[in-house]
Amino acid sequence: MVCTAFVLGGGGVLGAAEAGMARALLEAGIVPDLVHGTSIGAINGAAIAADPTPRGARNLIRTWDVLASGGVLGGSLLGRVGQVVRSGTSLHDTEDLRRLLREHLPVATFDDLVVPFECVAASIERAREHWFSGGDLVEAVLASCALPGVFPPVRIGDEHFIDGGLVNSIPLARAVGEGADTVWVLHVGRIEEQLRVPRRPWEVGFVSFEIARRHRFHADLALVPDGVTVHVLPTGLPARPAATWSNLRYRDTGRITSSAGRAYDATRAYLAGLG
């Protein structure tokens, strides 16, 4: 039996591109049997699994318009400093994002989803990836996108979780392991960027993290068995070197506006080329 999976990677505000890709796929009649997401891909993946239709994709793009307004990651510098003082570890709390998800996701639990969905987070206590597939949907998604330093760890049960991108930035192997024979990889475009030797202090950490996250994806891609087709969708961005400084600007919501439309057009062109 044919099994189609959507795999959605992490990438912060760049994740609007995944919403554009999803719209193009769903309008073309490509509907997932499984959805797996990491970090911002967990937000997008949960929305797609809740309403895997062109209408659902358009609603997701409208949710990104809300994110572009700056409400979730907004606030004054003084307010963010105050949050660091209160929390000791993060620039923002999770309340605004939690409220946005509860308002815009049409379901509350994994069991209510139309399509099976899983998202991954990093367990602090066990120092390994943890997959959520049941229970409260919003709390699991929050755990998956708890970017260190930006959001605090999310406690679920007796464990604390942080961003899933630390352990599995594009969960291709998970989808293949669960029986997918056609996998559509929706991503934010970082794997398209060319890394350069770091020349400034802040570039060292960025390049190191990018090598780690891309290494796992490329290793998983190399191990895909015969009979499984993987489509890594285009974002529509031109070939370019990795923009280390801009990728650190997690609050740069101005990049949201055009990325969904650009990825939508690029994905439509990719599908047309498949014949």
Side-chain angles (χ1 to χ4, degrees):
M1 181 170 58
V2 175
C3 181
T4 299
F6 285 9
V7 168
L8 298 97
V13 296
L14 302 174
E18 297 176 351
M21 293 171 179
R23 179 188 169 197
L25 291 173
L26 293 167
E27 287 181 352
I30 301 170
V31 180
D33 301 297
L34 302 169
V35 179
H36 297 86
T38 296
S39 193
I40 202 66
I43 294 178
N44 291 331
I48 293 165
D51 187 359
T53 66
R55 180 192 62 188
R58 290 191 294 270
N59 287 339
L60 176 57
I61 291 172
R62 283 193 285 271
T63 299
W64 274 99
D65 290 337
V66 175
L67 284 170
S69 70
V72 172
L73 297 175
S76 65
L77 175 61
L78 182 61
R80 296 196 300 278
V81 171
Q83 171 61 22
V84 172
V85 171
R86 289 189 297 274
S87 71
T89 59
S90 63
L91 291 169
H92 302 273
D93 63 29
T94 55
E95 289 310 306
D96 287 336
L97 182 55
R98 179 179 282 110
R99 188 178 308 112
L100 177 77
L101 293 175
R102 295 207 181 278
E103 289 175 356
H104 289 268
L105 286 176
V107 302
T109 71
F110 282 84
D111 289 340
D112 296 327
L113 294 168
V114 175
V115 173
F117 168 70
E118 296 181 340
C119 62
V120 64
S123 167
I124 293 177
E125 286 81 1
R126 291 184 294 116
R128 65 188 65 184
E129 67 184 53
H130 177 89
W131 283 90
F132 293 96
S133 59
D136 187 287
L137 181 62
V138 168
E139 293 306 305
V141 169
L142 285 173
S144 185
C145 59
L147 183 63
V150 176
F151 293 115
V154 174
R155 179 172 181 172
I156 298 178
D158 295 328
E159 288 186 79
H160 296 81
F161 298 95
I162 54 178
D163 196 287
L166 295 173
V167 289
N168 202 335
S169 63
I170 302 177
L172 171 62
R174 183 76 174 185
V176 174
E178 295 195 357
D181 49 33
T182 302
V183 181
W184 299 89
V185 176
L186 291 71
H187 62 100
V188 304
R190 286 184 178 173
I191 57 175
E192 298 172 339
E193 297 177 335
Q194 179 182 358
L195 291 177
R196 296 178 294 188
V197 176
R199 290 182 168 82
R200 299 174 179 84
W202 61 82
E203 294 178 349
V204 175
F206 170 81
V207 170
S208 300
F209 177 65
E210 280 298 305
I211 290 172
R213 71 195 299 270
R214 296 185 198 187
H215 168 76
R216 173 156 188 179
F217 172 65
H218 289 301
D220 289 345
L221 194 58
L223 293 174
V224 170
D226 293 340
V228 176
T229 302
V230 178
H231 298 276
V232 181
L233 296 174
T235 60
L237 289 168
R240 66 208 184 282
T244 55
W245 180 244
S246 68
N247 281 336
L248 293 173
R249 301 201 315 265
Y250 73 94
R251 298 175 68 242
D252 185 6
T253 53
R255 292 184 290 173
I256 291 175
T257 307
S258 60
S259 59
R262 187 169 50 236
Y264 170 74
D265 291 338
T267 299
R268 288 188 65 192
Y270 176 85
L271 295 175
L274 295 177

